[in-house]
Amino acid sequence: MATEIYSLPALIYGYAELEPYISEDQLRIHHSKHHQAYVNGANALLEKIANARKNGTDLDIKAVAKELSFHLAGHRLHSLFWRNMMPNGKDGGGSPQGKIADLITQEFGTLDRFKKEFSQAANSTEGSGWAALIYDVDVKKINIIQIEKHNVNVVPDYPILMVLDVWEHAYYMDYKNERNKFVDAFWNIVFWGKLNERLADAIKLEKRF
Ligand code: MN
């Protein structure tokens, strides 16, 4: 039986296609180096765990579990992030349509209010982290959360509809210390159609337990 390992997902657009909002160099290093490092980290841990079990040696479970959470969450969040963006004018940017637009209006009143709150969540994330939009299956609402690092303040089992990476590695080449400019630019490349796809899957989860 072949051993399954994690792999870096290919982008569905070219490295230069999110310009001028994310530069070719910034996107290339973010995807091919930073995301790749989380994939490698998760695979190395799986190997370490398997070897210890095979050889009957002890694992520092506390350390391994913490590291695995960090690398796996980093891998998952980046995979979600790449797909909730598209080149501007090619599905990226503009205004949401369909069910996600309805939920935004229902919860936030206006698209501007939603963008303002989400941007504030992204801009105020302390240290390294993410802003995320989740769907709360139980009360049928969307909510904004802030994730620290990749795995702190995550609400377990709440489907993620959209994420924005605000680690410095996501924007520093393009925007230096001006994270807010990167956050503003993000709205030009949001792929709202992907949010509707994820929402349709999330809504199917209604009876969870
Ligand atoms: Mn990142």
Side-chain angles (χ1 to χ4, degrees):
M1 196 178 75
T3 307
E4 294 278 345
I5 60 169
Y6 300 103
S7 59
L8 184 69
L11 298 184
I12 55 170
Y13 37 77
Y15 284 129
E17 280 193 90
L18 299 185
E19 290 192 335
Y21 311 105
I22 301 176
S23 71
E24 181 177 359
D25 286 349
Q26 177 71 80
L27 185 58
R28 179 180 285 111
I29 200 166
H30 192 181
H31 176 255
S32 71
K33 302 294 184 191
H34 292 285
H35 186 170
Q36 183 71 59
Y38 301 122
V39 170
N40 295 347
N43 285 328
L45 282 162
L46 290 192
E47 196 182 339
K48 182 177 171 175
I49 293 165
N51 284 338
R53 288 175 188 161
K54 193 170 67 185
N55 301 328
T57 52
D58 280 342
L59 279 169
D60 181 348
I61 291 290
K62 186 180 175 188
V64 166
K66 188 175 177 181
E67 245 194 291
L68 190 62
S69 158
F70 177 77
H71 288 291
L72 273 187
H75 173 44
R76 289 292 303 147
L77 285 169
H78 282 93
S79 300
L80 289 163
F81 181 48
W82 308 132
R83 296 301 297 270
N84 63 223
M85 296 187 291
M86 279 292 264
N88 184 264
K90 194 171 151 185
D91 292 329
S95 300
Q97 309 292 323
K99 181 79 177 166
I100 191 66
D102 294 343
L103 282 180
I104 287 171
T105 305
Q106 183 185 308
E107 294 305 320
F108 296 89
T110 63
L111 178 62
D112 282 347
R113 171 79 194 194
F114 165 69
K115 285 162 85 169
K116 184 179 165 187
E117 284 191 27
F118 191 88
S119 296
Q120 284 173 338
N123 285 321
S124 64
T125 299
E126 289 172 357
S128 298
W130 301 73
L133 182 69
I134 59 173
Y135 181 69
D136 186 328
V137 175
D138 300 319
V139 291
K140 301 182 174 60
K141 287 177 188 292
I142 48 173
N143 249 318
I144 295 165
I145 64 168
Q146 257 184 354
I147 300 169
E148 289 176 19
K149 295 193 276 187
H150 298 314
N151 52 344
V152 180
N153 292 347
V154 175
V155 186
D157 208 24
Y158 279 57
I160 289 177
L161 306 179
M162 173 171 78
V163 284
L164 172 56
D165 188 343
V166 287
W167 281 55
E168 284 188 350
H169 74 214
Y171 62 86
Y172 215 79
M173 291 170 75
D174 292 338
Y175 299 96
K176 301 294 185 288
N177 59 312
E178 296 182 296
R179 182 195 288 182
N180 62 310
K181 290 191 176 170
F182 169 60
V183 172
D184 287 346
F186 170 70
W187 297 112
N188 294 293
I189 47 176
V190 171
F191 180 18
W192 296 107
K194 177 53 75 175
L195 275 69
N196 270 320
E197 277 179 38
R198 289 174 181 165
L199 183 58
D201 288 339
I203 287 170
K204 287 182 201 149
L205 298 171
E206 264 186 68
K207 292 277 179 209
R208 297 196 295 176
F209 304 109

